[in-house]
Amino acid sequence: MAQFEEVSQKSALHPKPAGLVLQYGTAGFRTNAKNLDHVMFRMGLLATLRSKNTKATIGVMVTASHNPEEDNGVKLIDPMGEMVAMVWEGYATQLANAEQDDLLPALKDIIKREAINMTQEANVFVGRDTRSSGACLSQAVLDGVSTLDGHSKDYGLVTTPQLHYMVCCQNTQGQYGEATVEGYYRKLSQAFIRLTKNVPNRTDDQKHLCVDGANGIGALKVREMERHLERELQISLFNDGSSGKLNHQCGADFVKVQQKAPTGVEMTVGERCCSFDGDADRIVYYYSSSAGRFHLLDGDKIATLISTFLKELLTQAGLDLKMAVVQTAYANGSSTQYLENTMKVIMKCTKTGVKHLHHAAQEFDIGVYFESNGHGTVLFSKTAEQKIKQLAEDSTSSDEKKRAALLLQNTINVINQTVGDSISDMLLIEAILAIKGMTVQQWDAIYSDLPNRQLKVRVSNPRVIDTTDAERRAVSPAGLQEAIDSLVKKYRQARSFVRPSGTEDVVRVYAEAETQESADALAHEVSLAVYRLAGGVGDEPKPLH
Ligand code: G16
């Protein structure tokens, strides 16, 4: 077939560095941008196959999200805007690692296994974040698509969740919205304005928010969106990319892991601030108190705020819908306890990676899922959406029920259900705070986080660590879990786990305990155990204090 000859010819223009082995990790491939040209070309080929296979549009987002500027990566998006199916992650890894001569056989193998009709049309949407390597790399994706005669649409600079949204809109024939960036702004901002417009006594302070754009794509896009918000939300934007470096000492990952304010943000005492990450699919909030203390409101606090709000509305509406909150092992123990025991919400715990949380959330009428790092959204089942719509349109229902149903309807429209989305989550949080007349301090006071610490340990191969029980226990290397168990016993209210990162070449260590000193000491001791038992490289981890 002519297509296959072209694959052979064109792939030679996107050569694979010999011996390089990469894995489709937590959220796609991620490494130094210099090593990614062949991966991008091949992901263009794979997305075309996936499109033929599903008879739908597929998305390819060129981004390394929270990683440093010099890295890049790629995330594949399935027809409903969700992360690509697991079995295709495996194909992605096979294709990325095939040496030049093995590429065509690897491609043919996928075609055979999935019984793909190569005469079927294919459509691929491509987007990229602001990394300087992005333009060339997305061109390589487009080359891959055209090599297999696929059609493509290049959205250029967009946030990751915007591309997920476009894919979903396209495949639902516009039912989810219009597959344009303007359409996205219109849908979200109209819902936000409907939610907030009639809130009585909203002060200027409540309408004002400081946003740290991480010097990335989120900064560009939030600025574009602002004019649609009719001053119902007034944003002071910092780290807008005009001078600082992407994700450097700023952005959601920095703020969450370091538990401190980003550089470049002028915060006044008590002011509500938030940070996006490098591709604007995560968000965390924070403020500083008069004593100079930094207060972080992470994904767990966001999930609590949203699920409390939704539960209240469901009660007011008299709707019997099953709601659950999905978290990962990183969820602060206090948040899980509060949601389970005080709020009486169904709780689920999955492995890290929104693909896992998303699937777990789909099992409920309303699934609120958030990772502590601020990556999350809310999913509504078709049944839930229909019941809410019926109630909102029912002329016989009481004013209270109708009001709750209308709020729920607009809430659904402000949310990007395809994936976590900094901009959409920000609008939802701002609307909830406005409707509830709540300050960021009152939100923060819902429960107190257990002090915690996250560390990274470099080892020669992070994958020697294997885990079970939603990553809460290590099954290898031998002796590691026993070591963690005996360290945890030394501290009160303590918990710790370790797992290989799927986006960086490190092992992640998490510890929480009754005091910050204990959490820090435990995290350090567990890091040492990892270093010694899992083949640490470089210097031994040093104590934090
Ligand atoms: C990605 C994933 C998240 C995950 C994070 C860290 O985020 O989408 O679900 O929590 O990586 O993963 P890991 O601990 O395996 O490195 P992002 O925002 O970087 O795409």
Side-chain angles (χ1 to χ4, degrees), residues 26-27 30 65-66 75 83 277 279 281-282 330 352-354 371 373 375 499-504 508:
T26 310
R30 239 174 248 195
S65 187
H66 74 271
K75 298 178 177 179
M83 303 284 188
D277 72 336
D279 64 342
D281 58 9
R282 298 195 216 169
Y330 290 105
T352 298
V354 280
E371 295 185 294
N373 61 23
H375 205 161
R499 53 175 285 279
S501 161
T503 60
E504 296 173 59
R508 297 202 194 279

Side-chain angles (χ1 to χ4, degrees), residues 236-303:
S236 294
L237 180 62
F238 298 95
N239 297 325
D240 63 356
S242 54
S243 54
K245 209 172 156 190
L246 177 71
N247 295 331
H248 182 64
Q249 307 223 308
C250 62
D253 199 65
F254 172 85
V255 172
K256 167 69 183 159
V257 175
Q258 303 300 324
Q259 304 185 26
K260 61 181 183 200
T263 54
V265 177
E266 291 153 28
M267 279 168 80
T268 57
V269 169
E271 195 178 11
R272 213 167 60 254
C273 305
C274 66
S275 285
F276 295 177
D277 72 336
D279 64 342
D281 58 9
R282 298 195 216 169
I283 186 168
V284 294
Y285 270 69
Y286 45 91
Y287 67 97
S288 69
S289 58
S290 50
R293 227 187 106 205
F294 176 74
H295 296 257
L296 176 69
L297 293 98
D298 62 5
D300 304 332
K301 286 245 156 119
I302 295 172

